[in-house]
Amino acid sequence: MATPLRFTFWATLLRSASWTRVVQAAVLAVPICFSLGATDASARFNNLGHRLMCTCGCAQLLGECNHVGCPESGRERDELKVAIAAGKSDKEILNWFAAKYGATMLAAPTTEGFNLVAWIAPFAVFGAALLGTILLVRRWSVGKTQAVAGLDAANMDPAERERLEQIRRETGSDGGF
């Protein structure tokens, strides 16, 4: 009796429209996922070339270094092509270039160790500046509110009251007082 129930469950599941949609989505998603992961050597060369700096002193990315007579970029590009052809991973290639030419060869600092400060510091400085600005504006607004609140017509001398009345007549407002 267990067999007919099991068969009925699977038959119902296969007939349902939602199951068909799931299968269709999976059939569509699998090739898309594989095509995203598949890169040819030229796309990988372009990607890695934009993650490395030229060491000639031009301050350009290795993939972008285009000044005439650059003594370094041709050799470094050739080394990059050889490393890609050898089947090394991106991380291995970047580590090899950093070991050979120094950490300045990398276009962006690594996210490990002390270099992590280069990623965290801008956000920390921005947060501190935002907090300081908020506190400063609050302090200024509290002081201004107290100054305006202390400006009461009953506490003013008659000359000051006359001046405020003249401002109201001429401008149609109280002039911010």
Side-chain angles (χ1 to χ4, degrees):
M1 189 160 183
T3 307
L5 274 176
R6 197 174 290 160
F7 178 73
T8 307
F9 170 75
W10 287 108
T12 306
L13 187 64
L14 289 175
R15 276 187 253 134
S16 73
S18 62
W19 176 255
T20 320
R21 288 186 183 141
V22 169
V23 170
Q24 289 172 344
V27 167
L28 184 63
V30 168
I32 290 173
C33 289
F34 281 114
S35 69
L36 290 176
T39 57
D40 58 346
S42 65
R44 194 160 167 231
F45 175 79
N46 189 31
N47 178 17
L48 287 169
H50 284 86
R51 292 167 63 187
L52 296 169
M53 299 295 292
C54 183
T55 58
C56 70
C58 65
Q60 292 184 357
L61 298 171
L62 181 60
E64 302 285 325
C65 183
N66 58 0
H67 73 274
V68 178
C70 179
E72 305 295 330
S73 65
R75 179 174 42 84
E76 291 168 357
R77 285 183 184 138
D78 291 340
E79 290 173 349
L80 181 58
K81 287 177 186 174
V82 168
I84 291 171
K88 292 183 179 179
S89 70
D90 291 357
K91 187 168 183 152
E92 289 175 334
I93 293 171
L94 293 174
N95 289 339
W96 182 82
F97 272 96
K100 183 173 182 180
Y101 296 104
T104 57
M105 180 75 177
L106 302 176
T110 61
T111 57
E112 299 168 347
F114 185 72
N115 288 335
L116 193 57
V117 172
W119 293 101
I120 295 173
F123 297 106
V125 168
F126 175 74
L130 182 65
L131 178 65
T133 303
I134 290 170
L135 293 175
L136 186 63
V137 168
R138 286 183 70 199
R139 182 174 179 172
W140 285 347
S141 66
V142 168
K144 186 171 183 172
T145 304
Q146 291 172 350
V148 171
L151 194 65
D152 188 16
N155 297 339
M156 287 186 211
D157 60 354
E160 186 67 21
R161 261 188 261 141
E162 180 59 35
R163 189 176 67 79
L164 281 175
E165 190 57 38
Q166 181 183 359
I167 291 171
R168 284 189 192 103
R169 281 192 309 266
E170 291 175 359
T171 62
S173 67
D174 63 357
F177 298 109

